[in-house]
Amino acid sequence: MKNLILCLVVAALLPLGFALLGGARALGAHIWWDVQTILIGIPIGLALGYVASWLPFRRSKGTLVFLILLAIGFGLAKYGQITFASSYGEDAFAGAAWYFGWIATGAFTTATLFTALRR
């Protein structure tokens, strides 16, 4: 039980600390919602990581799956950022992709950390 709580706390605080220190902004998150998107993604990632830690396949495969999903989410965020900026803020789909890509990045970062720590 202590291990589970420690994994939950560490997996939640690392992405949050990274965002609070400006890491998400440095990687391309918007300055108005760089911390907000990570805060939205953390509980989603904890739930995904917890469910994945109880699946019958090995946890290392779950970590690998979440790493791949993290790369896809970050790629979506970067695509949205570049497309939104090049359209001078006119492309609503690109703005949504940018925003939800950062939520996915926060969620899958948390899920990756949780499954890696639960090993």
Side-chain angles (χ1 to χ4, degrees):
M1 185 66 171
K2 288 181 192 177
N3 187 21
L4 174 66
I5 293 172
L6 182 65
C7 290
L8 287 170
V9 169
V10 171
L13 289 181
L14 279 176
L16 179 61
F18 183 73
L20 287 173
L21 292 174
R25 186 180 303 166
L27 290 176
H30 196 278
I31 59 172
W32 288 346
W33 39 258
D34 56 342
V35 177
Q36 174 192 2
T37 54
I38 302 301
L39 281 173
I40 294 169
I42 286 174
I44 298 168
L46 289 176
L48 288 172
Y50 184 75
V51 168
S53 70
W54 290 102
L55 292 177
F57 58 82
R58 291 180 26 183
R59 289 189 182 116
S60 61
K61 289 182 182 178
T63 305
L64 180 63
V65 168
F66 285 132
L67 275 174
I68 292 168
L69 291 172
L70 172 62
I72 291 170
F74 185 72
L76 177 69
K78 284 311 244 184
Y79 166 77
Q81 175 193 10
I82 292 168
T83 307
F84 187 76
S86 68
S87 72
Y88 297 104
E90 295 291 326
D91 191 354
F93 177 76
W98 188 14
Y99 183 75
F100 290 113
W102 272 104
I103 291 174
T105 300
F108 292 130
T109 300
T110 305
T112 302
L113 287 170
F114 183 81
T115 54
L117 293 171
R118 283 286 287 178
R119 286 178 64 193

